[in-house]
Amino acid sequence: MKILITGASGFIGSFIVEEAIKRGFETWAAIRKSSSKAYLQDEHIHFIELDFSSQEQLEEQLKGHAFDYVVHAAGATKCLHQEDFFRINTEGTQNFVKALLHLQMPLKRFIYISSLSIMGAIREQQPYEEIRESDEPKPNTAYGKSKLEAEKWLESQPIPYVILRPTGVYGPRERDYFLQIQSIKSHMDFAVGFQRQDITFVYVTDVVQAIFLALEKGETGRKYFLSDGEVYQSATFSDLVHEELGRPWWIRITAPIWLLRIITCAGDWWGRKTGKMSALNNDKFNILRQRNWRCNIQPARDELGYDPKVKLAEGVRRSIQWYKENHWL
């Protein structure tokens, strides 16, 4: 069986590639010319360069291939300009699928990696309830909106797609949560808002587990939320990191929402001025202020057999061990 994995050089994509090789797939990693192959060293990997900005270019690059499965993990989570989210996440997906259809690719399954962020801030009244597939998405970030537009467009296409919507994905090689870990190591922990915040996480290998279950068992048109099945408080991740780092002295600061707004506006301004993306920007503001990240993963359990193996404490331990061994910490 021949599988194509886009975004293969990225955090999640590189783990998908590893699992595909373990399972005996003829594994093709889609990359850009500028992509690092640091985590794509296995000799069994086949590489293909894809340009998602052009359907015609994609058709030329894909010509002669006949993939059985595609996992579309390529996309942007941070952009200097909001329109870039739609150019990359929405239009890039459309160009890719159009090319696959025009080439009459004999796909058994197309997995689209979306995000819980497509739902936005809903069910925010305490006590918080799980976000369900039947809820109306109300994305409040450009990232979430771009992913939702891609989802809605997929619904109209004659392709055997399954959509996965993971919550916050973490693990070795991940860089966003790593910034928080690095901050705690430097004796500073930063949180936002005084209202209770329920957070969910999913370890990267559990996302990969769900992907291969969806390849095998997913029904066309289905959409699944993914988490580790637990709900955590806003300080839990920091507490676990602090413990795993040997409990260095630290200062914990909880800032009001209005202060975060000022900081993220300044981050956006600085990003536009310098051409360098800030970790604290206007899209990040809406993510950090959201209070309810609960989601219902029971359909994934029932229909796919999804069984998350790594809870947060173990996932943090594994991640920090990797960061230390690879000299990130």
Side-chain angles (χ1 to χ4, degrees):
M1 290 294 180
K2 191 173 178 180
I3 187 170
L4 172 65
I5 299 155
T6 71
S9 64
F11 163 49
I12 299 175
S14 61
F15 279 94
I16 304 170
V17 169
E18 289 178 2
E19 184 63 22
I21 291 171
K22 287 179 185 176
R23 292 172 180 250
F25 285 88
E26 180 183 327
T27 303
W28 287 75
I31 58 173
R32 300 185 304 272
K33 285 185 179 180
S34 59
S35 297
S36 168
K37 295 182 181 179
Y39 307 121
L40 300 173
Q41 295 295 312
D42 194 293
E43 62 182 8
H44 296 95
I45 300 172
H46 303 272
F47 291 98
I48 181 172
E49 290 184 9
L50 295 183
D51 179 1
F52 294 101
S53 66
S54 165
Q55 177 185 342
E56 292 74 20
Q57 183 69 16
L58 283 166
E59 289 179 12
E60 186 63 30
Q61 292 166 328
L62 291 166
K63 189 182 299 182
H65 292 281
F67 294 105
D68 300 288
Y69 300 103
V70 170
V71 180
H72 188 36
T77 58
K78 295 184 288 294
C79 292
L80 270 178
H81 306 287
Q82 289 197 357
E83 57 267 25
D84 289 339
F85 284 111
F86 297 91
R87 177 178 57 81
I88 297 168
N89 295 337
T90 309
E91 294 173 17
T93 300
Q94 292 172 347
N95 290 336
F96 185 39
V97 171
K98 286 177 182 177
L100 292 171
L101 291 172
H102 190 257
L103 291 170
Q104 298 182 324
M105 198 71 67
L107 292 179
K108 294 180 172 65
R109 194 76 68 235
F110 178 94
I111 306 298
Y112 180 63
I113 308 300
S114 186
S115 170
L116 178 58
S117 292
I118 65 107
M119 301 305 295
I122 62 175
R123 298 187 179 274
E124 294 261 284
Q125 298 298 317
Q126 296 191 48
Y128 301 134
E129 297 180 357
E130 289 181 334
I131 297 169
R132 307 182 186 95
E133 184 184 340
S134 58
D135 290 327
E136 180 183 356
K138 297 178 180 179
N140 53 4
T141 62
Y143 169 69
K145 291 173 183 176
S146 69
K147 284 288 191 179
L148 180 60
E149 279 198 22
E151 283 195 18
K152 287 184 173 179
W153 183 83
L154 271 176
E155 292 173 2
S156 65
Q157 301 305 305
I159 192 167
Y161 73 88
V162 176
I163 294 172
L164 300 179
R165 298 165 167 173
T167 183
V169 186
Y170 71 105
R173 309 173 193 167
E174 195 278 334
R175 293 185 178 275
D176 288 345
Y177 286 114
F178 171 69
L179 292 176
Q180 187 174 351
I181 295 171
Q182 202 172 34
S183 178
I184 293 170
K185 186 176 185 294
S186 301
H187 314 293
M188 180 69 71
D189 185 37
F190 183 79
V192 176
F194 300 102
Q195 183 180 341
R196 173 190 173 109
Q197 186 179 43
D198 285 0
I199 301 180
T200 50
F201 295 87
V202 60
Y203 192 70
V204 62
T205 56
D206 281 327
V207 175
V208 173
Q209 174 205 156
I211 288 168
F212 283 89
L213 286 169
L215 287 176
E216 178 186 355
K217 302 178 181 180
E219 294 185 12
T220 296
R222 293 295 292 118
K223 304 166 185 176
Y224 301 100
F225 295 121
L226 302 177
S227 76
D228 70 3
E230 304 292 335
V231 177
Y232 304 94
Q233 298 308 299
S234 55
T236 307
F237 182 80
S238 296
D239 289 341
L240 290 169
V241 169
H242 186 240
E243 189 70 27
E244 199 61 38
L245 290 175
R247 305 181 71 183
W249 68 267
W250 62 345
I251 299 172
R252 306 188 76 165
I253 297 174
T254 302
I257 294 292
W258 62 263
L259 179 58
L260 174 68
R261 188 45 153 169
I262 293 173
I263 293 171
T264 55
C265 283
D268 253 22
W269 173 83
W270 182 251
R272 289 192 298 270
K273 183 177 178 63
T274 64
K276 297 179 180 179
M277 286 181 289
S278 168
L280 291 174
N281 50 55
N282 284 332
D283 238 37
K284 192 70 170 180
F285 169 75
N286 287 310
I287 292 172
L288 290 173
R289 75 170 180 170
Q290 187 166 322
R291 299 291 96 181
N292 179 27
W293 290 94
R294 292 171 173 259
C295 58
N296 181 14
I297 67 168
Q298 197 58 46
R301 291 185 186 273
D302 293 341
E303 298 174 29
L304 301 180
Y306 174 63
D307 181 21
K309 304 293 185 184
V310 184
K311 304 304 181 185
L312 190 59
E314 174 62 15
V316 167
R317 186 194 68 77
R318 294 185 190 182
S319 300
I320 290 179
Q321 179 181 348
W322 186 90
Y323 291 133
K324 288 179 177 178
E325 290 174 352
N326 289 270
H327 310 294
W328 287 36
L329 287 174

